[in-house]
Amino acid sequence: MKELCFATNNAHKVTEVQAKVGSEFSIKTLNELGCTADIPETADTLEGNALQKARYLWDHYHCNCFADDTGLEVEALNGAPGVHTARYAGESKDNNANMAKLLAALEGQSNRKACFRTVIALIEDGKEILFEGKVEGIITTEKSGAEGFGYDPVFQPEGYDKTFAELPLSVKNSISHRGRAVEKLIAYLKKQ
C-alpha cells in the first residue's frame, strides 16, 4: 500500500479523499506525520498556497505528499474573496462572519455568479504536479441548509435548486470542486 501525506488536519477532507482512493493508498494527516507547525499560506494564488504547503512537507519530512487550497470566486466582486476565502471577514476564519460579509457585499446585485475552485499540489519523488477542480454556481440571497462547512449554505451549484448545505454529502462530493480535483489526483496516481 502506497503512503501519501496530506497537508491537512481537516477530518472532512481526509475522509473524502480516503474514500475516493480506497485501499490502494494510505492517507496520513499532519498529526499522524508528527507535524505541528502552522504551515504558511502566504502566496497570492491558490496554486501558490497549495505548492507552498506541499513543499513544506517535502522539505521537512521528505515524504510523497499533497496539499490543497480552495477559493470562492465571485464574478461581481472581481474574483473575491478568492485566495482570502477562509479569512474574508478576518483572521478568525469565522464561517458565519464570512457569509455575512459576502451577502452584504452582494446586496442589490443581480449578477450572483460564482465558482469554487480547488487546486491540489502533489509532490511525488520530488516531482511537482497540479490538479484543478471547479464548480460553477451562484451565491444565494440568504443562508439555507445545515450540512457541510464554509460557504456551503450560500452556494448553489449550477443545475441544482439547493445549496451545498442542503444536498446530501454523497451528491456534494460527486460534483464539488474538491471532489473533481481529487478525482484527477487519483487518476494520475493509479496510472503510476
Side-chain angles (χ1 to χ4, degrees):
M1 181 184 296
K2 290 185 182 176
E3 193 173 271
L4 275 175
C5 299
F6 188 1
T8 189
N9 280 317
N10 182 321
H12 294 288
K13 291 182 183 182
V14 174
T15 301
E16 183 179 322
V17 173
Q18 189 64 69
K20 286 184 177 281
V21 297
S23 59
E24 290 180 56
F25 298 89
S26 171
I27 305 296
K28 287 182 81 166
T29 64
L30 292 175
N31 280 342
E32 292 168 320
L33 192 60
C35 178
T36 57
D38 187 13
I39 301 174
E41 291 182 73
T42 55
D44 56 4
T45 64
L46 300 176
E47 292 82 358
N49 277 340
L51 279 167
Q52 189 175 26
K53 291 186 282 187
R55 286 173 181 159
Y56 182 93
L57 286 187
W58 178 259
D59 292 343
H60 289 81
Y61 297 92
H62 208 70
C63 59
N64 289 332
C65 59
F66 65 99
D68 72 326
D69 198 24
T70 295
L72 174 64
E73 299 170 346
V74 181
E75 194 173 280
L77 302 178
N78 298 314
V83 74
H84 305 290
T85 294
R87 295 174 179 84
Y88 188 47
E91 287 301 313
S92 65
K93 298 183 180 181
D94 182 305
N95 291 332
N96 287 318
N98 286 338
M99 285 184 283
K101 181 176 179 178
L102 178 64
L103 292 176
L106 288 175
E107 196 162 326
Q109 279 281 351
S110 58
N111 178 4
R112 301 185 78 85
K113 288 182 186 173
C115 75
F116 263 120
R117 199 164 62 88
T118 292
V119 175
I120 293 176
L122 169 70
I123 301 180
E124 189 177 38
D125 301 323
K127 181 180 176 188
E128 298 178 351
I129 304 159
L130 294 174
F131 306 93
E132 181 182 298
K134 187 176 182 179
V135 62
E136 302 282 348
I138 61 164
I139 301 301
T140 57
T141 56
E142 57 188 35
K143 295 192 300 184
S144 187
E147 298 300 315
F149 60 99
Y151 294 81
D152 287 357
V154 297
F155 184 81
Q156 182 179 311
E158 203 171 74
Y160 291 82
D161 61 358
K162 294 181 180 345
T163 67
F164 267 166
E166 295 173 297
L167 292 171
L169 187 59
S170 59
V171 174
K172 179 195 170 192
N173 286 347
S174 71
I175 63 169
S176 80
H177 43 294
R178 186 173 297 105
R180 290 173 177 174
V182 167
E183 283 168 11
K184 291 176 183 176
L185 168 70
I186 291 163
Y188 172 83
L189 290 170
K190 288 186 174 181
K191 281 196 306 190
Q192 300 307 302

